[in-house]
Amino acid sequence: MAAAYDAGVNFFDNAEAYASGKSEEVMGEALKKLKWRRGSYLVTTKIFWGLHDGVNERNTLNRKRLIEGINGSLERWQLEYVDVLYCHRPDKTTPIEETVWAMHNIIEWGKAFYWGTSQWDADEIVAAINIAEKHHLHKPVTEQPEYNLFERQRFEKQYARLFKDYGYGSTTFSPLASGMLTGKYLNGIPEDSRAALKGFDWLHESVTDKEKLARVDALQSIADELGCTLSQLSLAWVLKNPNVSTVITGASRVEQLHENMKAGEIASKLTLETLKQIDTIFGVKEEEEE
Ligand SMILES: NC(=O)c1ccc[n+]([C@@H]2O[C@H](COP(=O)([O-])OP(=O)(O)OC[C@H]3O[C@@H](n4cnc5c(N)ncnc54)[C@H](OP(=O)(O)O)[C@@H]3O)[C@@H](O)[C@H]2O)c1
């Protein structure tokens, strides 16, 4: 976190579900030690999956759970407020109106400044905005979607009008497809990588997918031409999209962070021609783009 902050990062993402709350505790402890001025950084957290198996405590955005959820989060963070509180997934059973009212109240009580959505469908987001406008409540202002060279459809197609018509923000996640786009899986699964971790079996299929690996391999010549690494190129590609408000990047060690922070310089070198070459590698045809 210190290396990120020194490099200009001011946005730190978390969720109550990460390591069952432990992740917020660890980040809160780090913030206490770092003693940064509170106004100089943002922390965000997300609620949906819940921490307990009680009735209506799992996979929900009901009012009781959201309010108890933010109270628990703030206790773990040892903070008075988070900057953005996200609804980590849409809840198909709780009326959106109930969720909007609860998020509005949380903001009014000063426990969060803004609220957002994560992996919601565009129609659910528009419904939330409309309900908020009807009752003069705080609207959701940003979506936290997956967006990377392999995962483009929802962001580029489904959300297009959200960005254009509503000025909706986006704090995108997994820009390196969990490390796949760094090229580290081209010759198998390194022992010290995320895909080798216990509990990350879900990643195996993707990081051993021959078609995906071939696309990553083909990207190398473009990175070489630009004089950068695959990680830097893949991050730069996300940054280049004007609808991306911020890129939430992950790093398991400081060297990765130092490498990745240079992506900003590469983004300015990405010409239309290079972007077209990248689209071809990833099988995106011109008519699809229009
Ligand atoms: N809203 C949601 O549902 C949701 C879902 C997922 C993530 N997120 C958020 O987004 C954040 C970032 O997601 P992510 O961690 O999946 O992002 P990512 O940038 O796609 O993957 C990060 C991982 O890639 C590897 N890596 C990064 N830079 C590297 C480099 N230069 N060389 C080699 N390996 C490198 C590291 O893993 P190893 O070194 O361990 O291999 C690192 O932990 C998360 O921490 C979370 O806050 C949100």
Side-chain angles (χ1 to χ4, degrees):
M1 286 173 71
Y5 188 78
D6 290 345
V9 171
N10 69 344
F11 182 106
F12 296 88
D13 183 60
N14 217 315
E16 71 166 11
Y18 295 168
S20 307
K22 190 79 190 155
S23 181
E24 291 176 322
E25 270 175 38
V26 169
M27 218 180 234
E29 276 303 321
L31 288 170
K32 257 176 97 176
K33 281 192 198 139
L34 288 161
K35 294 194 170 73
W36 297 332
R37 186 175 56 77
R38 184 65 183 89
S40 70
Y41 65 91
L42 293 91
V43 294
T44 64
T45 198
K46 310 189 275 293
I47 298 177
F48 173 71
W49 282 288
L51 294 171
H52 304 283
D53 287 326
V55 177
N56 291 328
E57 289 195 88
R58 287 278 182 202
N59 307 342
T60 179
L61 299 174
N62 73 60
R63 178 175 178 82
K64 176 171 159 69
R65 179 76 258 289
L66 285 172
I67 294 168
E68 288 173 353
I70 185 64
N71 288 342
S73 271
L74 293 177
E75 227 175 280
R76 287 186 293 277
W77 280 104
Q78 302 182 63
L79 288 175
E80 282 172 30
Y81 57 86
V82 293
D83 295 275
V84 188
L85 177 63
Y86 295 92
C87 294
H88 210 158
R89 286 294 178 270
D91 171 356
K92 306 286 179 187
T93 53
T94 301
I96 293 178
E97 184 161 344
E98 175 171 336
T99 300
V100 173
W101 269 106
M103 297 303 269
H104 168 79
N105 289 141
I106 287 169
I107 292 176
E108 287 289 294
W109 297 331
K111 293 171 193 266
F113 290 143
Y114 300 94
W115 75 278
T117 52
S118 182
Q119 302 277 76
W120 283 32
D121 281 339
D123 61 348
E124 293 164 324
I125 297 170
V126 170
I129 293 173
N130 287 340
I131 290 165
E133 278 182 345
K134 184 173 158 195
H135 299 289
H136 302 286
L137 307 176
H138 291 286
K139 293 182 254 193
V141 295
T142 187
E143 162 60 37
Q144 186 173 138
E146 180 170 6
Y147 185 50
N148 58 53
L149 279 162
F150 287 119
E151 198 60 52
R152 301 173 58 163
Q153 189 71 16
R154 188 201 290 250
F155 190 90
E156 292 179 6
K157 303 279 186 242
Q158 199 193 113
Y159 290 162
R161 294 196 61 174
L162 275 180
F163 300 134
K164 192 163 162 270
D165 298 349
Y166 296 89
Y168 210 57
S170 72
T171 57
T172 62
F173 74 78
S174 290
L176 299 173
S178 276
M180 176 79 177
L181 286 160
T182 65
K184 71 197 299 173
Y185 296 107
L186 285 173
N187 301 308
I189 301 179
E191 268 179 30
D192 61 351
S193 66
R194 177 180 290 184
L197 288 174
K198 221 175 120 208
F200 281 76
D201 301 351
W202 56 270
L203 248 188
H204 286 192
E205 202 183 316
S206 170
V207 300
T208 54
D209 181 317
K210 287 204 171 76
E211 198 188 307
K212 283 187 167 175
L213 288 169
R215 295 190 203 278
V216 177
D217 202 22
L219 207 55
Q220 188 64 59
S221 61
I222 298 182
D224 290 343
E225 262 173 51
L226 293 166
C228 68
T229 65
L230 281 175
S231 306
Q232 290 163 344
L233 175 57
S234 303
L235 285 165
W237 179 86
V238 179
L239 273 172
K240 189 78 182 173
N241 187 324
N243 289 324
V244 170
S245 320
T246 195
V247 183
I248 310 178
T249 169
S252 65
R253 58 207 74 162
V254 141
E255 304 79 62
Q256 293 176 352
L257 189 108
H258 289 316
E259 176 186 334
N260 297 351
M261 286 300 121
K262 295 196 187 111
E265 296 161 28
I266 306 303
S268 55
K269 291 191 192 168
L270 290 180
T271 60
L272 224 54
E273 192 49 43
T274 314
L275 291 172
K276 275 190 186 153
Q277 283 173 9
I278 295 174
D279 282 348
T280 307
I281 292 172
F282 283 83
V284 177
K285 296 190 191 78
E286 260 178 63
E287 60 270 25
E288 275 181 44
E289 286 174 351
E290 280 157 18

